Amino acid sequence: MYADDETVRRILQDSGDTWAVVGLSSNRSRAAYGVAEVLQRFGKRVVPVHPGAESVHGEQGYASLADIPFPVDVVDVFVNSALAGAVADEAVAAGAKAVWFQLGVIDEKAYERTRSAGLDMVMDRCPAIEIPRLSRRA
């Protein structure tokens, strides 16, 4: 409902290779940790964004999107829905090309704002699921 296959494919293949993963920490039991590994295997640079600013998967972490000193192509959001809209707004302000809200992360108003700002957006989906699914269909 919140993304068609073409939008998912465009974000994964054409939006760029630097992904800020908001909510990524060194906690191996969290979904963000495993999804970030999949993104790296798919050739993406994964930039952790977490208040603790930890380094994860060999990449320096940052406390916020605004702290990242280089361009980010896609912002992958692992925070709860109540906080996700503000992250989407930060992604727009940071000049990202796309925003990806993970499974269970839904904010329809943020989706509308982000799309109106000209960014591609996927909501309530997971790239670790979509990468192999779209590969099988190619």
Side-chain angles (χ1 to χ4, degrees):
M1 174 173 175
Y2 302 112
D4 57 85
D5 283 353
E6 183 54 38
T7 302
V8 170
R9 184 174 278 109
R10 190 169 47 248
I11 292 172
L12 289 171
Q13 296 176 350
D14 302 331
S15 290
D17 292 331
T18 302
W19 285 50
V21 181
V22 179
L24 175 59
S25 71
S26 61
N27 184 341
R28 293 174 181 262
S29 67
R30 303 294 301 221
Y33 191 90
V35 171
E37 283 183 319
V38 171
L39 288 168
Q40 282 186 322
R41 284 196 305 268
F42 191 63
K44 305 300 181 189
R45 178 181 184 190
V46 172
V47 181
V49 179
H50 189 277
E54 304 173 69
S55 292
V56 183
H57 298 308
E59 287 285 345
Q60 169 64 48
Y62 297 90
S64 71
L65 289 173
D67 292 336
I68 300 173
F70 48 83
V72 169
D73 300 310
V74 180
V75 176
D76 189 3
V77 181
F78 276 91
V79 300
N80 71 49
S81 297
L83 302 173
V87 175
D89 295 340
E90 290 173 29
V92 171
K97 298 174 188 166
V99 175
W100 191 298
F101 279 11
Q102 284 293 324
L103 291 171
V105 180
I106 299 170
D107 183 331
E108 292 178 2
K109 290 182 180 178
Y111 182 86
E112 292 169 14
R113 287 193 311 272
T114 303
R115 297 287 295 137
S116 293
L119 281 69
D120 278 329
M121 184 164 180
V122 170
M123 190 161 59
D124 195 26
R125 304 278 280 273
C126 179
I129 295 169
E130 298 301 322
I131 289 168
R133 185 182 72 79
L134 291 176
S135 294
R136 285 191 300 272
R137 297 185 69 201

